[in-house]
Amino acid sequence: MLLAELVTVTDAVAATSSRLAKVAALAELLRRLEPDEIGPAVGFLLASPRQGRLGVGWRSVTSLDVAHAAEPGLTVLDVDAALDRLAAAEGPGSASARAAELKGLAGRATSGEWDLLTRIMLGELRTGALEGVLLDAVAQAADRAAPSVRRAAMLSGDVGETARLALTGTAAELGAVGLQVGRPVMPMLASTASSVADALATIGGPQARGAASIEFKLDGARIQVHRDGDEVHVYTRSLADITHRVPEIVEAARQLPAERVILDGETLTLDEDGAPRPFQDTMARFGSESEVAALLRPWFFDILHLDGRDLIDEPLSTRLEALARVAGAARMPGIVTDDVAQAEAFSRDALAAGHEGVMVKALDAPYAAGRRGKSWLKVKPVLTYDLVVLAVEPGSGRRTGLLSNLHLGALDPMGEFGEPGGFVMVGKTFKGLTDATLRWQTEHFPTIETRRSAYALHVRPVTVVEIAIDGVQRSSRYPGGIALRFARVKGYRPDKRADEADTIQTLRALLRG
DNA sequence: TTCCGACAGTGGGGTCGCAAT
DNA sequence: ATTGCGACCCCACTATCGGAA
């Protein structure tokens, strides 16, 4: 198949807001693919090529200057082969080898094809169709039930292979795709609740008769651990195999009293007193190839398979019983209760121990791989501060033409970081903005503009905005030495003056809890 | 007819390894 | 030795479509 056909279809998909129309257009395309084109094409449609990391980012794409082809000629398999060569380049000279490969590809592509190719390589198509819509399209094209396609994709962790199987295999083969020890599963995800009481009410239902599992929520990295005898693999949330980086977790898995097991959990590093280290310190270890002093410790909160028995379709209550037999000291602290006061007390314990908060989970729910449903709710404390807008950046995509991303400053009353009474930038945010707020920003900020830079409109520091954050972290980027974590807008505060804003000292005090 | 679950988009912070400088 | 890039860990929130109620 020609790449140009994907251009036509993805343009059509982007042009309609109807998901049914997107699914129909994608299904029609999928039906026309040859079997060996399905894997590559699905990778393109998800902007997640099957080759994985290509070593190609925004910089390498935009620094190219090539004349494009006048007529389409590239096929899906041509592009797949070019991406193979890009992914294979490493070592000295690899950057120029990749640049040459990119240049060759760009020269063979029409400008429309190159536009699609760059979006594929940069990982964002923005056509309003990703995994969910594409899986529906696969089901439609293959004439299979959507849930069976989705389940196969989630349990195999591989949408491309699932599409190939659905389109070329039998329904029975698709239905036979299941858990396999050693092959990662898309992890189950959580929604957010505003309080433990709310979470318990949601989980327990209107009558709140059902109890829930309340568990510590740790500020670390998600891990999925597979053990088959002495063979152990550790995967990240995005299913990357990081076994070689975490020997201490491999060793811990080998100590478990089970032969074949799949566990879901979280890992982080502790300080000498056994208190959790900041997320940044955990990431320094988790992201590193080399062994350093700080050891990662695993905590397991779920079990998907135990010694020949799949548990994903069992209720959480059954899975927790199995986990209790296997995990020992590596079991995530948790209680089962229907009592709000008891759950809240447990949440306070989690926070007192230095953790993020708690998870509240429905005991009757199966392990819904790849789903972000209401069966798991996270509850974390939210802090709010009044900060001052220093600049605004124009938005992109559906925020094109609107002023979107805010630069936020804290008051510096003593002039520790500049003029007394000035402001120190502590982060940015684009979150929490409604369409109405975006329109208001776009009208308001030009009226107090002081200067424009390449990326932002700088304004007089007079606009106070209430910002919610989860906390602060060390920063080498910002002059105050801290950055906001997960900042989002709660609302503008026209009733407040800038000199009433919260101070950099107040925010810095959060660093040490 | 209204409600709500699921999805996609819009970007934020930091950390690492690696190649180029 | 330093710098810039790419990859990837954490993440909140709003708008929208279309099936469920």
Side-chain angles (χ1 to χ4, degrees):
Chain A
M1 177 181 284
L2 287 174
L3 182 67
E5 297 177 68
L6 263 78
V7 174
T8 305
V9 172
T10 53
D11 283 352
V13 168
T16 176
S17 64
S18 161
R19 283 175 202 152
L20 295 175
K22 290 178 198 283
V23 167
L26 289 166
E28 188 272 335
L29 177 79
L30 289 166
R31 274 191 217 103
R32 286 164 32 219
L33 290 165
E34 298 296 329
D36 59 346
E37 293 173 329
I38 295 172
V42 164
F44 299 167
L45 293 171
L46 294 172
S48 174
R50 61 177 192 87
Q51 287 81 2
R53 62 188 73 162
L54 300 171
V56 175
W58 188 82
R59 201 81 202 190
S60 17
V61 165
T62 51
S63 62
L64 283 182
D65 183 25
V66 232
H68 295 299
E71 295 298 323
L74 280 172
T75 66
V76 166
L77 294 182
D78 288 337
V79 174
D80 188 51
L83 298 189
D84 276 340
R85 293 189 293 273
L86 278 174
E90 53 180 273
S94 60
S96 48
R98 268 197 298 271
E101 185 65 48
L102 273 181
K103 200 160 183 167
L105 187 59
R108 295 170 66 194
T110 64
S111 60
E113 288 168 343
W114 185 243
D115 178 57
L116 177 64
L117 284 173
T118 55
R119 288 185 289 146
I120 289 169
M121 291 187 290
L122 297 181
E124 280 182 332
L125 237 48
R126 303 200 181 193
T127 59
L130 281 174
E131 201 171 80
V133 171
L134 189 62
L135 285 173
D136 279 352
V138 169
Q140 190 173 109
D143 196 24
R144 301 274 179 265
S148 71
V149 174
R150 164 174 272 278
R151 182 180 169 90
M154 296 304 133
L155 295 189
S156 68
D158 190 334
V159 177
E161 175 55 22
T162 299
R164 196 196 58 75
L165 187 61
L167 288 159
T168 66
T170 65
E173 285 171 321
L174 186 69
V177 174
L179 270 184
Q180 212 171 288
V181 179
R183 184 176 69 180
V185 176
M186 305 261 194
M188 182 165 172
L189 305 172
S191 301
T192 305
S194 55
S195 70
V196 170
D198 275 3
L200 211 53
T202 303
I203 295 287
Q207 305 87 359
R209 283 178 54 229
S213 174
I214 322 288
E215 304 163 12
F216 278 16
K217 181 178 193 311
L218 310 193
D219 192 9
R222 189 85 176 259
I223 49 168
Q224 191 178 118
V225 175
H226 292 237
R227 173 180 167 191
D228 185 356
D230 277 344
E231 182 81 11
V232 174
H233 285 277
V234 183
Y235 302 95
T236 66
R237 194 194 124 147
S238 62
L239 312 189
D241 189 333
I242 51 153
T243 309
H244 61 289
R245 277 197 231 155
V246 291
E248 63 270 52
I249 295 176
V250 172
E251 194 44 46
R254 289 208 179 107
Q255 302 301 323
L256 299 174
E259 276 302 298
R260 289 165 54 81
V261 63
I262 303 176
L263 293 160
D264 193 0
E266 188 87 3
T267 186
L268 47 62
T269 55
L270 300 179
D271 65 19
E272 302 74 23
D273 304 327
R277 290 180 188 272
F279 177 71
Q280 282 168 300
D281 295 341
T282 288
M283 282 316 298
R285 171 67 190 87
F286 190 72
S288 171
E289 297 285 335
S290 58
E291 277 191 69
V292 285
L295 286 184
L296 287 165
R297 281 193 45 189
W299 277 268
F300 298 113
F301 51 72
D302 214 322
I303 182 166
L304 314 192
H305 179 96
L306 177 59
D307 288 331
R309 184 180 168 209
D310 286 344
L311 296 167
I312 49 166
D313 296 321
E314 300 294 333
L316 177 62
S317 51
T318 303
R319 304 202 303 280
L320 287 177
E321 284 169 22
L323 184 69
R325 294 200 300 274
V326 172
R331 185 181 170 196
M332 186 72 81
I335 58 170
V336 170
T337 184
D338 60 355
D339 181 61
V340 173
Q342 204 183 343
E344 284 172 341
F346 188 76
S347 173
R348 284 192 296 275
D349 291 347
L351 296 172
H355 298 302
E356 264 198 309
V358 291
M359 301 290 304
V360 179
K361 299 179 176 176
L363 287 166
D364 58 355
Y367 189 92
R371 278 233 130 94
R372 188 187 297 282
K374 287 275 161 57
S375 313
W376 288 10
L377 298 174
K378 57 180 145 184
V379 184
K380 299 188 284 184
V382 174
L383 308 168
T384 66
Y385 294 93
D386 293 322
L387 300 174
V388 174
V389 179
L390 306 178
V392 208
E393 296 176 17
S396 66
R398 67 182 178 208
R399 291 191 182 181
T400 300
L402 296 165
L403 291 176
S404 173
N405 199 4
L406 305 172
H407 295 202
L408 303 168
L411 185 62
D412 178 20
M414 280 101 79
E416 218 179 307
F417 304 94
E419 289 294 302
F423 299 92
V424 192
M425 186 168 172
V426 288
K428 303 181 188 180
T429 186
F430 58 92
K431 292 173 182 165
L433 300 166
T434 63
D435 287 357
T437 308
L438 285 163
R439 284 194 299 273
W440 179 83
Q441 291 186 170
T442 307
E443 287 185 7
H444 168 69
F445 286 116
T447 68
I448 55 170
E449 171 182 347
T450 55
R451 67 188 171 89
R452 269 167 213 260
S453 66
Y455 303 104
L457 181 78
H458 296 259
V459 297
R460 282 193 287 123
V462 295
T463 313
V464 178
V465 62
E466 185 180 6
I467 299 292
I469 59 173
D470 281 25
V472 299
Q473 56 191 339
R474 296 189 307 267
S475 173
S476 54
R477 171 188 311 241
Y478 293 116
I482 54 159
L484 306 177
R485 198 156 177 227
F486 310 140
R488 58 269 193 191
V489 171
K490 299 309 287 183
Y492 280 97
R493 294 297 304 266
D495 56 310
K496 280 213 160 189
R497 294 192 318 269
D499 61 8
E500 299 172 294
D502 283 297
T503 65
I504 184 70
Q505 288 78 17
T506 300
L507 292 176
R508 283 175 64 94
L510 292 174
L511 253 195
R512 290 169 299 281

